[in-house]
Coordinates of all heavy atoms in Angstrom, one line a residue:
Chain A
R106 N -101.8 234.6 -48.3 CA -102.9 235.6 -48.2 C -104.2 234.9 -47.8 O -104.5 233.8 -48.3 CB -103.2 236.3 -49.6 CG -102.1 237.2 -49.9 CD -102.5 238.0 -51.2 NE -101.3 238.7 -51.7 CZ -101.1 238.8 -53.1 NH1 -101.9 238.3 -53.9 NH2 -100.0 239.5 -53.5
S107 N -104.9 235.6 -46.9 CA -106.2 235.1 -46.5 C -107.0 236.2 -45.9 O -106.5 236.9 -45.0 CB -106.0 233.9 -45.5 OG -107.3 233.5 -45.0
S108 N -108.2 236.3 -46.3 CA -109.2 237.3 -45.8 C -108.5 238.7 -45.7 O -108.6 239.3 -44.6 CB -109.6 236.9 -44.3 OG -110.0 235.6 -44.3
G109 N -107.9 239.1 -46.7 CA -107.4 240.5 -46.8 C -106.1 240.7 -46.1 O -105.5 241.8 -46.2
R110 N -105.5 239.7 -45.4 CA -104.2 240.0 -44.9 C -103.2 239.0 -45.5 O -103.5 238.0 -46.1 CB -104.2 239.8 -43.4 CG -104.6 238.4 -42.9 CD -104.7 238.3 -41.4 NE -105.0 236.9 -41.1 CZ -104.7 236.3 -40.0 NH1 -104.0 237.0 -39.1 NH2 -105.0 235.1 -39.7
Q111 N -101.9 239.5 -45.4 CA -100.9 238.6 -46.0 C -99.7 238.6 -45.1 O -99.4 239.6 -44.3 CB -100.5 239.1 -47.4 CG -100.0 240.6 -47.4 CD -99.7 241.0 -48.8 OE1 -100.0 240.4 -49.8 NE2 -99.0 242.2 -48.9
A112 N -99.0 237.6 -45.1 CA -97.8 237.4 -44.3 C -96.8 236.4 -44.9 O -97.2 235.6 -45.7 CB -98.2 236.9 -42.9
Y113 N -95.6 236.5 -44.6 CA -94.6 235.5 -45.0 C -94.8 234.3 -44.1 O -94.8 234.4 -42.9 CB -93.2 236.1 -44.9 CG -92.7 236.9 -46.1 CD1 -92.7 238.2 -46.1 CD2 -92.3 236.2 -47.3 CE1 -92.3 239.0 -47.2 CE2 -91.9 236.9 -48.4 CZ -91.9 238.3 -48.3 OH -91.4 239.0 -49.4
E114 N -94.8 233.2 -44.7 CA -94.8 231.9 -44.0 C -93.8 230.9 -44.6 O -93.6 231.0 -45.9 CB -96.2 231.2 -44.0 CG -97.3 232.1 -43.5 CD -97.3 232.2 -42.0 OE1 -96.4 231.7 -41.3 OE2 -98.2 232.9 -41.4
R115 N -93.2 230.1 -43.8 CA -92.4 229.1 -44.4 C -93.3 228.0 -45.0 O -94.2 227.5 -44.4 CB -91.5 228.5 -43.3 CG -90.4 229.4 -43.0 CD -89.5 228.8 -42.0 NE -88.6 227.9 -42.7 CZ -87.6 227.3 -42.0 NH1 -87.4 227.6 -40.8 NH2 -86.8 226.4 -42.6
T116 N -93.1 227.7 -46.3 CA -93.9 226.8 -47.0 C -93.1 225.6 -47.5 O -92.0 225.9 -48.1 CB -94.6 227.5 -48.2 OG1 -95.2 228.7 -47.7 CG2 -95.7 226.6 -48.7
V117 N -93.5 224.5 -47.3 CA -92.8 223.3 -47.8 C -93.6 222.7 -49.0 O -94.8 222.6 -49.0 CB -92.7 222.2 -46.7 CG1 -92.3 220.9 -47.2 CG2 -91.8 222.7 -45.6
F118 N -92.8 222.5 -50.1 CA -93.4 221.9 -51.2 C -92.7 220.5 -51.3 O -91.5 220.3 -51.3 CB -93.0 222.7 -52.5 CG -93.8 223.9 -52.6 CD1 -93.3 225.1 -51.9 CD2 -95.0 224.0 -53.2 CE1 -94.0 226.3 -52.0 CE2 -95.7 225.2 -53.3 CZ -95.2 226.4 -52.7
A119 N -93.6 219.5 -51.3 CA -93.1 218.1 -51.1 C -93.7 217.1 -52.1 O -94.8 217.4 -52.6 CB -93.4 217.6 -49.7
D120 N -93.0 216.0 -52.3 CA -93.6 214.9 -53.0 C -94.8 214.4 -52.2 O -94.7 214.4 -51.0 CB -92.6 213.8 -53.3 CG -91.5 214.3 -54.3 OD1 -91.9 215.1 -55.2 OD2 -90.4 213.8 -54.2
P121 N -95.8 213.8 -52.8 CA -96.9 213.3 -52.0 C -96.5 212.1 -51.1 O -97.2 211.9 -50.1 CB -97.9 212.8 -53.1 CG -97.5 213.3 -54.4 CD -96.0 213.8 -54.3
S122 N -95.4 211.5 -51.4 CA -95.0 210.4 -50.6 C -94.4 210.8 -49.3 O -93.9 210.0 -48.5 CB -93.9 209.5 -51.4 OG -92.9 210.4 -51.9
I123 N -94.4 212.1 -49.0 CA -93.8 212.6 -47.8 C -94.4 211.9 -46.6 O -93.7 211.6 -45.6 CB -93.9 214.1 -47.7 CG1 -93.3 214.6 -46.4 CG2 -95.3 214.6 -47.7 CD1 -93.3 216.1 -46.1
F124 N -95.7 211.6 -46.7 CA -96.4 211.0 -45.5 C -96.2 209.5 -45.5 O -96.6 208.8 -44.5 CB -97.9 211.3 -45.5 CG -98.1 212.8 -45.4 CD1 -98.7 213.5 -46.4 CD2 -97.7 213.5 -44.3 CE1 -98.9 214.9 -46.3 CE2 -97.9 214.9 -44.2 CZ -98.5 215.6 -45.2
D125 N -95.5 208.9 -46.5 CA -95.1 207.5 -46.4 C -93.7 207.5 -45.7 O -93.4 206.5 -45.1 CB -94.9 206.9 -47.8 CG -96.3 206.9 -48.5 OD1 -97.3 206.6 -47.8 OD2 -96.3 207.0 -49.8
V126 N -93.0 208.6 -45.8 CA -91.7 208.7 -45.2 C -91.9 209.0 -43.7 O -91.4 208.4 -42.8 CB -90.8 209.7 -45.8 CG1 -89.5 209.9 -45.0 CG2 -90.5 209.3 -47.3
F127 N -92.7 210.1 -43.5 CA -92.9 210.6 -42.1 C -94.4 210.2 -41.7 O -95.3 210.8 -42.3 CB -92.7 212.1 -42.0 CG -91.3 212.5 -42.3 CD1 -91.1 213.2 -43.4 CD2 -90.3 212.2 -41.4 CE1 -89.8 213.6 -43.7 CE2 -89.0 212.6 -41.7 CZ -88.7 213.3 -42.9
D128 N -94.5 209.3 -40.8 CA -95.9 208.9 -40.4 C -96.4 209.9 -39.3 O -96.2 209.7 -38.1 CB -95.7 207.5 -39.8 CG -97.0 206.8 -39.6 OD1 -98.0 207.4 -39.9 OD2 -97.0 205.7 -39.1
L129 N -96.9 211.0 -39.7 CA -97.3 212.1 -38.8 C -98.8 212.0 -38.5 O -99.6 211.7 -39.4 CB -96.9 213.4 -39.4 CG -95.4 213.6 -39.8 CD1 -95.2 214.9 -40.5 CD2 -94.6 213.6 -38.5
P130 N -99.2 212.4 -37.3 CA -100.6 212.3 -36.9 C -101.4 213.5 -37.5 O -100.9 214.7 -37.5 CB -100.6 212.4 -35.4 CG -99.3 213.1 -35.1 CD -98.3 212.8 -36.2
F131 N -102.6 213.2 -38.0 CA -103.5 214.2 -38.5 C -104.6 214.4 -37.5 O -105.1 213.5 -36.9 CB -104.1 213.8 -39.9 CG -103.2 214.0 -41.0 CD1 -101.9 213.5 -41.1 CD2 -103.6 214.8 -42.1 CE1 -101.1 213.8 -42.2 CE2 -102.8 215.1 -43.2 CZ -101.6 214.6 -43.2
V132 N -105.1 215.7 -37.4 CA -106.3 215.9 -36.5 C -107.5 216.1 -37.4 O -108.6 216.0 -37.0 CB -106.1 217.1 -35.6 CG1 -105.0 216.9 -34.6 CG2 -105.9 218.4 -36.3
A133 N -107.3 216.3 -38.7 CA -108.4 216.4 -39.6 C -107.9 215.9 -41.0 O -106.8 216.2 -41.4 CB -108.9 217.8 -39.7
G134 N -108.7 215.2 -41.7 CA -108.3 214.6 -43.0 C -107.4 213.4 -42.7 O -107.2 212.9 -41.6
S135 N -106.7 213.0 -43.7 CA -105.9 211.8 -43.7 C -104.7 211.9 -44.5 O -104.7 212.6 -45.6 CB -106.8 210.6 -44.1 OG -105.9 209.6 -44.7
P136 N -103.6 211.3 -44.2 CA -102.4 211.4 -45.0 C -102.6 210.8 -46.4 O -102.0 211.2 -47.4 CB -101.3 210.6 -44.3 CG -102.1 209.8 -43.2 CD -103.3 210.5 -43.0
R137 N -103.5 209.8 -46.5 CA -103.7 209.1 -47.8 C -104.4 210.1 -48.7 O -105.5 210.6 -48.4 CB -104.6 207.9 -47.6 CG -104.6 207.0 -48.8 CD -105.2 205.6 -48.4 NE -104.5 204.9 -47.4 CZ -103.4 204.2 -47.7 NH1 -102.9 204.1 -49.0 NH2 -102.7 203.5 -46.8
G138 N -103.7 210.5 -49.8 CA -104.3 211.4 -50.8 C -104.3 212.8 -50.3 O -104.9 213.7 -51.0
A139 N -103.6 213.2 -49.3 CA -103.6 214.6 -48.8 C -103.0 215.5 -49.8 O -103.4 216.7 -49.8 CB -102.9 214.7 -47.4
L140 N -102.1 215.1 -50.6 CA -101.5 215.9 -51.6 C -101.8 215.4 -53.0 O -100.9 215.2 -53.8 CB -99.9 216.0 -51.3 CG -99.5 216.7 -50.1 CD1 -98.0 216.7 -49.9 CD2 -100.0 218.2 -50.0
A141 N -103.0 215.1 -53.2 CA -103.4 214.4 -54.4 C -103.2 215.3 -55.6 O -102.9 214.8 -56.7 CB -104.9 214.0 -54.3
D142 N -103.4 216.6 -55.5 CA -103.2 217.4 -56.7 C -102.5 218.7 -56.3 O -102.2 218.9 -55.1 CB -104.6 217.7 -57.3 CG -105.6 218.3 -56.4 OD1 -105.2 219.4 -55.8 OD2 -106.6 217.8 -56.1
L143 N -102.3 219.5 -57.3 CA -101.5 220.7 -57.1 C -102.2 221.8 -56.2 O -101.5 222.7 -55.8 CB -101.1 221.3 -58.4 CG -100.1 220.5 -59.3 CD1 -99.7 221.2 -60.5 CD2 -98.9 220.1 -58.5
S144 N -103.5 221.6 -56.0 CA -104.1 222.6 -55.2 C -104.3 222.1 -53.7 O -104.9 222.8 -52.9 CB -105.5 223.0 -55.8 OG -106.4 221.8 -55.7
S145 N -103.8 220.9 -53.5 CA -104.0 220.4 -52.1 C -103.0 221.0 -51.2 O -101.9 221.4 -51.5 CB -103.7 218.9 -52.1 OG -104.5 218.2 -53.0
L146 N -103.4 221.2 -50.0 CA -102.6 221.9 -49.0 C -102.8 221.2 -47.6 O -104.0 221.1 -47.2 CB -102.9 223.4 -48.9 CG -102.0 224.2 -47.9 CD1 -100.6 224.3 -48.6 CD2 -102.6 225.6 -47.7
V147 N -101.8 220.8 -47.0 CA -101.9 220.3 -45.6 C -101.3 221.4 -44.7 O -100.2 221.9 -45.0 CB -101.1 219.0 -45.5 CG1 -101.0 218.5 -44.0 CG2 -101.7 217.9 -46.3
I148 N -102.0 221.7 -43.6 CA -101.5 222.7 -42.7 C -101.4 222.2 -41.3 O -102.1 221.2 -41.0 CB -102.4 224.0 -42.8 CG1 -103.8 223.7 -42.3 CG2 -102.5 224.5 -44.2 CD1 -104.7 225.0 -42.2
S149 N -100.7 222.9 -40.5 CA -100.6 222.5 -39.1 C -101.8 223.1 -38.3 O -102.5 224.0 -38.8 CB -99.3 223.0 -38.5 OG -99.3 224.4 -38.4
Q150 N -102.0 222.6 -37.1 CA -103.1 223.1 -36.2 C -102.8 224.6 -36.0 O -103.7 225.4 -36.0 CB -103.0 222.4 -34.9 CG -103.6 221.0 -34.9 CD -103.5 220.4 -33.5 OE1 -102.4 220.0 -33.1 NE2 -104.6 220.3 -32.8
E151 N -101.6 224.9 -35.8 CA -101.2 226.3 -35.5 C -101.6 227.2 -36.7 O -102.2 228.3 -36.5 CB -99.7 226.5 -35.3 CG -99.3 227.8 -34.8 CD -97.8 228.0 -34.8 OE1 -97.1 227.0 -34.8 OE2 -97.3 229.1 -34.9
M152 N -101.3 226.8 -37.9 CA -101.7 227.6 -39.1 C -103.2 227.6 -39.2 O -103.8 228.6 -39.6 CB -101.1 227.0 -40.3 CG -99.6 227.2 -40.5 SD -99.2 228.9 -40.8 CE -98.0 229.2 -39.6
A153 N -103.9 226.5 -38.9 CA -105.3 226.4 -39.1 C -106.0 227.4 -38.1 O -106.9 228.2 -38.5 CB -105.8 225.0 -38.7
R154 N -105.4 227.5 -36.9 CA -106.0 228.4 -35.9 C -105.7 229.9 -36.3 O -106.5 230.8 -36.2 CB -105.5 228.1 -34.5 CG -106.1 226.9 -33.9 CD -105.8 226.8 -32.4 NE -104.4 226.4 -32.2 CZ -104.1 225.1 -32.0 NH1 -105.0 224.1 -32.0 NH2 -102.8 224.7 -31.8
K155 N -104.5 230.0 -36.9 CA -104.0 231.4 -37.2 C -104.9 232.0 -38.4 O -105.3 233.1 -38.3 CB -102.6 231.4 -37.7 CG -102.0 232.7 -38.1 CD -100.5 232.6 -38.4 CE -100.0 233.9 -38.8 NZ -98.5 233.9 -39.2
Y156 N -105.2 231.1 -39.4 CA -105.9 231.7 -40.5 C -107.4 231.4 -40.5 O -108.1 232.2 -41.2 CB -105.3 231.1 -41.8 CG -104.0 231.7 -42.2 CD1 -102.7 231.1 -41.8 CD2 -103.9 233.0 -42.8 CE1 -101.5 231.7 -42.1 CE2 -102.7 233.6 -43.0 CZ -101.5 232.9 -42.7 OH -100.3 233.5 -43.0
F157 N -107.8 230.4 -39.8 CA -109.3 230.1 -39.8 C -109.9 230.0 -38.4 O -111.1 229.8 -38.3 CB -109.5 228.7 -40.5 CG -108.8 228.7 -41.9 CD1 -107.7 227.8 -42.1 CD2 -109.2 229.5 -42.9 CE1 -107.1 227.7 -43.3 CE2 -108.6 229.4 -44.1 CZ -107.5 228.6 -44.4
G158 N -109.1 230.2 -37.4 CA -109.6 230.2 -36.0 C -110.1 228.8 -35.5 O -110.7 228.7 -34.5
T159 N -109.8 227.7 -36.3 CA -110.2 226.4 -35.8 C -109.3 225.4 -36.4 O -108.7 225.6 -37.5 CB -111.7 226.2 -36.3 OG1 -112.0 224.8 -36.0 CG2 -111.9 226.4 -37.8
D160 N -109.3 224.2 -35.8 CA -108.5 223.1 -36.3 C -109.2 222.5 -37.5 O -108.6 221.8 -38.4 CB -108.4 222.0 -35.2 CG -107.4 222.3 -34.2 OD1 -106.8 223.4 -34.3 OD2 -107.2 221.6 -33.2
Q161 N -110.5 222.6 -37.5 CA -111.3 221.9 -38.5 C -111.4 222.8 -39.8 O -112.3 223.6 -40.0 CB -112.8 221.6 -38.0 CG -112.8 220.8 -36.7 CD -112.0 219.5 -36.9 OE1 -112.2 218.8 -37.9 NE2 -111.1 219.2 -36.0
A162 N -110.3 222.7 -40.5 CA -110.2 223.7 -41.6 C -110.3 223.0 -43.0 O -109.9 223.6 -44.0 CB -108.8 224.4 -41.5
I163 N -110.7 221.7 -43.0 CA -110.8 221.0 -44.3 C -111.7 221.8 -45.2 O -112.8 222.2 -44.8 CB -111.3 219.6 -44.0 CG1 -110.4 218.8 -43.1 CG2 -111.5 218.8 -45.4 CD1 -109.1 218.4 -43.6
G164 N -111.2 221.9 -46.4 CA -112.0 222.6 -47.5 C -111.8 224.1 -47.5 O -112.2 224.8 -48.5
K165 N -111.2 224.7 -46.5 CA -110.9 226.1 -46.5 C -109.8 226.5 -47.5 O -109.0 225.6 -47.9 CB -110.6 226.6 -45.1 CG -111.7 226.3 -44.1 CD -111.9 227.5 -43.2 CE -112.9 227.1 -42.0 NZ -114.2 227.1 -42.4
E166 N -109.8 227.7 -47.9 CA -108.8 228.1 -48.9 C -107.8 229.2 -48.5 O -108.1 230.1 -47.7 CB -109.6 228.6 -50.2 CG -110.5 227.5 -50.8 CD -111.1 227.9 -52.1 OE1 -111.0 229.1 -52.4 OE2 -111.6 227.0 -52.8
L167 N -106.6 229.1 -49.1 CA -105.6 230.1 -48.9 C -105.0 230.4 -50.3 O -105.0 229.5 -51.2 CB -104.5 229.5 -48.0 CG -104.7 229.4 -46.5 CD1 -103.5 228.7 -45.9 CD2 -104.8 230.8 -45.9
T168 N -104.4 231.6 -50.4 CA -103.7 231.9 -51.6 C -102.2 232.0 -51.2 O -101.8 232.7 -50.2 CB -104.1 233.2 -52.2 OG1 -105.5 233.1 -52.5 CG2 -103.4 233.6 -53.5
I169 N -101.4 231.4 -52.0 CA -99.9 231.4 -51.7 C -99.2 232.0 -53.0 O -99.5 231.5 -54.1 CB -99.4 230.0 -51.4 CG1 -100.0 229.5 -50.1 CG2 -97.8 230.1 -51.2 CD1 -99.6 228.1 -49.7
L170 N -98.4 233.0 -52.8 CA -97.6 233.5 -53.9 C -96.4 232.6 -54.1 O -95.5 232.5 -53.2 CB -97.2 234.9 -53.6 CG -98.0 236.0 -54.3 CD1 -99.4 236.0 -53.6 CD2 -97.3 237.4 -54.2
V171 N -96.3 232.0 -55.2 CA -95.1 231.2 -55.5 C -94.4 231.8 -56.7 O -95.0 231.9 -57.8 CB -95.5 229.7 -55.9 CG1 -94.3 228.9 -56.1 CG2 -96.4 229.1 -54.8
D172 N -93.2 232.3 -56.4 CA -92.5 233.1 -57.4 C -93.3 234.2 -58.0 O -93.3 234.5 -59.2 CB -92.0 232.2 -58.6 CG -90.7 231.4 -58.2 OD1 -90.1 231.7 -57.1 OD2 -90.4 230.4 -58.9
G173 N -94.1 234.8 -57.1 CA -94.8 236.0 -57.5 C -96.2 235.6 -58.1 O -97.0 236.5 -58.3
I174 N -96.4 234.4 -58.4 CA -97.7 234.0 -59.0 C -98.6 233.5 -57.9 O -98.3 232.6 -57.2 CB -97.5 232.9 -60.0 CG1 -96.5 233.3 -61.1 CG2 -98.8 232.4 -60.6 CD1 -96.1 232.3 -62.1
P175 N -99.8 234.2 -57.8 CA -100.7 233.7 -56.7 C -101.4 232.4 -57.1 O -101.8 232.2 -58.3 CB -101.8 234.8 -56.7 CG -101.7 235.6 -57.9 CD -100.3 235.3 -58.5

Side-chain angles (χ1 to χ4, degrees):
Chain A
R106 289 185 192 146
S107 173
S108 309
R110 59 181 182 154
Q111 60 183 10
Y113 274 102
E114 302 286 1
R115 287 186 72 175
T116 312
V117 168
F118 290 86
D120 290 328
S122 51
I123 182 179
F124 299 116
D125 295 327
V126 175
F127 299 110
D128 193 1
L129 301 173
F131 277 60
V132 297
S135 149
R137 198 169 290 282
L140 294 176
D142 56 57
L143 295 183
S144 66
S145 302
L146 185 71
V147 173
I148 65 176
S149 66
Q150 281 177 289
E151 189 193 337
M152 286 292 133
R154 284 192 285 266
K155 181 176 178 182
Y156 285 99
F157 307 114
T159 172
D160 287 356
Q161 303 307 313
I163 301 289
K165 300 221 188 285
E166 295 189 349
L167 283 175
T168 303
I169 300 178
L170 261 69
V171 183
D172 280 348
I174 300 172

